[in-house]
Amino acid sequence: MAEKNLTSTTQFLLTAFTDCPEQALPLFLLFLLIYLITLLGNAGMVILIRVDGRLHTPMYFLLSHLSFMDICYSSVTVPQMLAVLLEHGAALSYTRCATQFFLFTFFGSIDCYLLAIMAYDRYVAVCRPLLYVTVMTQKARLGFVAGAYGAGLFSASVRTVSAFTLSFCGTNEIDFIFCDLPPLLKLTCGDSYTQEVVIIVFAIFVIPACMAAILVSYLFIIMAIMRIPSSGGRAKTFSTCASHLTAVSLFFGTLIFMYLRDNSGHSLQEDRVVAVFYTTVIPMLNPLIYSLRNQEVKEALRKVLE
């Protein structure tokens, strides 16, 4: 038979970038540099928040978890991408591919939930400043983070089981940088309607639900800012949300392009470029966004360096 059920085979073959072998070494060095900057920047952010007492606030507590997730998020995919570039392709066992998919979905989902919680934190700070201390208590912060981790675990478990109970046939080559949903769906055959519905439903519960929470929070924030009489006061208040809004726009913009659109008519090359952006570039940019646009972080960093 020309078609072959890959659930009985032992591996998938990642073949991204193998069509341009002359670009492998420059890309390897570039992504290695980006990955090292990502590790250094996010680890530095976590340490800075832990050692500086001025940053022991709910917003920076959530930011430290976001930075930790960015380290885990990129570490699931970037080393694998470097191996593909260095070896001109890589073989992944079926179990390893499923594990990578689970971890990537787990950390990515937590990132979404944390960004939504941070939007709520900004809403309380701007719209309910007198209640901020009583609402965002240490117990509440721990509860929010624990809820994000628990929801991410549940979502990743359901999506992984649904994705890897699909029937695969034809080639086992994946022209991608890691085991992600769009390239895996291109290998499916047979009746996969039920699994795809489950995958889509849980995607809706993660991405659009978090976006809705963020949009509602910022709608109230904008209304509160518009009621401030002075332009200087409005600018100062909005500046406290600018870093978070920038990070949200970058992260959710790429996720929408990848996962909430019709996959027909889109090439894996386009998906590969977007995947490189949100798995390597965005985790590198987040500590820069929150440090360069935040006076408290810059002052804390200056104090540590001195």
Side-chain angles (χ1 to χ4, degrees), residues 102 105-106 109-110 113 147-159:
F102 169 80
T105 306
F106 175 57
S109 299
I110 295 175
Y113 293 128
Y149 279 65
L153 178 63
F154 180 66
S155 175
S157 300
V158 173
R159 282 168 59 84

Side-chain angles (χ1 to χ4, degrees), residues 4-129:
K4 185 179 180 181
N5 190 336
L6 291 186
T7 56
S8 62
T9 63
T10 59
Q11 62 184 11
F12 290 100
L13 300 177
L14 298 179
T15 60
F17 305 111
T18 55
D19 53 341
C20 304
E22 69 281 356
Q23 299 178 7
L25 183 58
L27 288 174
F28 174 84
L29 295 175
L30 173 63
F31 293 140
L32 177 61
L33 177 62
I34 291 175
Y35 181 56
L36 293 176
I37 294 174
T38 300
L39 295 181
L40 180 62
N42 285 287
M45 182 67 73
V46 173
I47 294 171
L48 188 64
I49 292 171
R50 289 290 184 266
V51 301
D52 194 288
R54 292 173 296 180
L55 302 182
H56 291 175
T57 63
M59 182 180 71
Y60 293 110
F61 173 79
L62 296 171
L63 179 57
S64 67
H65 281 273
L66 183 68
S67 295
F68 177 65
M69 282 300 104
D70 280 342
I71 293 174
C72 300
Y73 182 68
S74 59
S75 296
V76 170
T77 57
V78 178
Q80 181 64 67
M81 181 172 61
L82 295 176
V84 171
L85 288 168
L86 194 62
E87 301 171 8
H88 305 291
L92 268 70
S93 67
Y94 194 84
T95 302
R96 184 177 174 187
C97 184
T99 302
Q100 185 181 59
F101 179 84
F102 169 80
L103 292 175
F104 175 76
T105 306
F106 175 57
F107 295 131
S109 299
I110 295 175
D111 252 9
C112 293
Y113 293 128
L114 286 175
L115 288 170
I117 295 169
M118 292 172 75
Y120 175 72
D121 171 80
R122 292 297 83 205
Y123 157 75
V124 178
V126 174
C127 301
R128 300 288 187 269

